[in-house]
Amino acid sequence: MRYGLLLIILIVTYLLSASYSSYWIGVAQLVLFTATGLLALRNSPLGGHLGRLIVAGSLIGSAIMVVFTVLLLHRSPVGLGIASLWTGLLLMMTVVLIVLQILALPVVTLQSICGALSAYLIIGLMFASFYAAMWHLSGTAFFAPGELRHGQVPNTTIFQYFSFTTLTTLGYGDFTAATNAGRAVAVLEAVAGQIFLATLVARLVAAFRTPAEHPAG
C-alpha cells in the first residue's frame, strides 16, 4: 500500500471538507474511507474467511449508509447519527490495520512514516465522526452555549476542526464540549494523540534508515 499517496489523499480530503461544508462532501468522504479501509485490509495479515467477511461487511454497511443517507435519511438526525457512527467504526478498523501493517514491516522506510502519519490523520477524522454521531443521536447541544454563531449548527467542518485541535492538544478554546460524555471522549482523543506521537511515530522516526543505509541482503 502506498502510504505516501494515502497521506496526500487524506490531506486533500480534509482541506476540501474544511473549505466546503457541502452535504455531498460527507458522502464522498464515506466512499473514500471505505476504499481506504478495503485497501488496508487487502494488505493486512488478516486473510481467508475472516478477511472476506470483513470486506463483505464493510462494503454492504457502507453501501447501506450511502444509499440511506442520500435517499432516505438525509433529514433524519438518527440516520445521520448512524451514518457518522459507521464512518467512525470504519476509520477505527482502518487505523488498526495500518498500524498492524507498519509494525509487521521488517525495515522502517519513508512509506512506514507516511503510514503512521496517515493513521494519525485518520484518528482525527474518526473522532470527528464519533462527535457528530453523539450530537445527532443525543438530541442535545454538543458544544457549549454561545460558541456557535447565531443560527449556526455543527457540521463536518466544525467537528473535524474541534477533533484535530483536541488531538494535537492545541486547545484554542473556541469550541468546547458541553456534556460530560463529550468531554470524556475529547480527553480520550487528546491522550490517544499524544501516546500515538510519542510511541509509534517517534519509534519509527528513530529507526528510519535511508535505502543507502539498509544492510545488503
Side-chain angles (χ1 to χ4, degrees), residues 5-29:
L5 178 60
L6 174 61
L7 181 60
I8 294 173
I9 292 174
L10 288 170
I11 292 173
V12 172
T13 302
Y14 171 73
L15 292 176
L16 285 175
S17 65
S19 303
Y20 305 98
S21 57
S22 168
Y23 168 78
W24 293 103
I25 292 293
V27 175
Q29 277 191 323

Side-chain angles (χ1 to χ4, degrees), residues 173-198:
D174 47 354
F175 291 104
T176 54
T179 64
N180 289 332
R183 293 168 187 157
V185 176
V187 169
L188 289 177
E189 181 179 15
V191 172
Q194 293 307 297
I195 292 176
F196 192 91
L197 289 178

Side-chain angles (χ1 to χ4, degrees), residues 117-189:
L117 294 177
S118 297
Y120 186 72
L121 289 179
I122 293 173
I123 290 174
L125 296 170
M126 176 189 77
F127 275 99
S129 297
F130 286 147
Y131 295 137
M134 293 172 67
W135 174 57
H136 287 301
L137 296 175
S138 68
T140 59
F142 183 85
F143 295 110
E147 293 181 343
L148 295 171
R149 294 192 297 271
H150 180 69
Q152 186 182 27
V153 295
N155 53 35
T156 300
T157 301
I158 294 176
F159 279 121
Q160 290 184 357
Y161 169 77
F162 173 72
S163 178
F164 280 105
T165 56
T166 302
L167 182 68
T168 56
T169 64
L170 288 175
Y172 290 130
D174 47 354
F175 291 104
T176 54
T179 64
N180 289 332
R183 293 168 187 157
V185 176
V187 169
L188 289 177
E189 181 179 15

